[in-house]
Amino acid sequence: MSLAAIDVHDLLGQPGTSRRLDVLGTMEGLSTELVEVPDDAPLGGSLLLESVVEGILVSGSITGTWTARCARCLTERSQPFSVEVSELFLVEAPDEDELDDEDDRFALLDESIDLDQLVRDAVGVEMPFAPLCRADCLGLCEVCGGNRNLGECPGHEALDPRFAVLADLLPELPDTD
Ligand SMILES: [Zn+2]
Ligand SMILES: [Zn+2]
C-alpha cells in the first residue's frame, strides 16, 4: 500500500465511527541536511482514523529507519525511529485569514486524507538538526581530517611556529574613522 491519499468517505458524516489503518510504503525526498529516509526504505504507519464533527482525526505512529550523519565526525549510521502523529483533517478548508502560522491544519481533499503530506511533516520535524553518533563524539581533526574517535589523528604540535611569525608580520588593519 502506498502512502498516498486514503479514501475516508465511509467515515465522513458519521461522528463516533472509526477504523484502524495500517500502511506500508516508501517516500522520495524525505531528508534534511544530515538526516535522510532513503527513497527505498520502508515506512510503516499504524493509524486510527476517527470521524468527528469537523472532519477526520488521524492519530498513531509512523515508524521507519533513517540514515543520520554525525554532525561532528560525518560517519553515517542507520537508526530506527517512531514518530507520533495526531492531526485533524477538516472537511472544509479554513479561510486563509483564520489560519495563523502555528496552526497548520490539514484539509480533506476529495474525501481523502493526504497521507504523504502528513508523514512528510511529522517525520521531518522529528529529524535532528545536529545528530551525533554518540554524545561525546570527538569529531574530526581540523589539521589532518582524521577521525579522533578511531584514533586516526596522530596528534600535532599546537601551532607551527612559522605561522606565529607570519601573524606578527601582517600589517595592522587601518582604522576606519
Ligand atoms: Zn561522530
Ligand atoms: Zn590530526
Side-chain angles (χ1 to χ4, degrees), residues 6-132:
I6 303 294
D7 189 335
V8 291
H9 81 272
D10 55 319
L11 294 172
L12 288 175
Q14 311 279 338
T17 59
S18 65
R19 95 175 128 95
R20 297 212 58 88
L21 175 71
D22 289 310
V23 289
L24 187 64
T26 58
M27 190 168 285
E28 286 184 12
L30 183 50
S31 65
T32 59
E33 205 171 327
L34 295 171
V35 184
E36 174 184 32
V37 175
D39 289 354
D40 58 354
L43 280 166
S46 179
L47 304 171
L48 178 65
L49 311 182
E50 294 172 86
S51 182
V52 295
V53 173
E54 301 92 340
I56 303 293
L57 184 63
V58 180
S59 60
S61 60
I62 308 292
T63 54
T65 301
W66 62 40
T67 304
R69 188 151 26 130
C70 175
R72 288 187 198 154
C73 72
L74 306 182
T75 52
E76 279 192 349
R77 63 179 189 143
S78 290
Q79 290 177 297
F81 67 85
S82 178
V83 170
E84 298 298 311
V85 294
S86 179
E87 293 291 349
L88 177 62
F89 284 75
L90 299 169
V91 177
E92 289 180 38
D95 288 339
E96 287 288 326
D97 36 303
E98 277 179 32
L99 282 179
D100 52 56
D101 292 339
E102 327 246 316
D103 196 15
D104 107 88
R105 290 193 189 170
F106 295 87
L108 291 164
L109 196 65
D110 297 333
E111 304 191 329
S112 295
I113 56 176
D114 182 0
L115 217 47
D116 183 281
Q117 197 57 49
L118 175 74
V119 171
R120 214 171 272 282
D121 286 9
V123 175
V125 298
E126 291 296 325
M127 287 178 162
F129 280 115
L132 295 179

Side-chain angles (χ1 to χ4, degrees), residues 140-148 152-156:
L140 301 179
C141 170
E142 288 169 19
V143 178
C144 70
N147 186 333
R148 288 204 180 100
E152 287 176 358
C153 169
H156 310 281

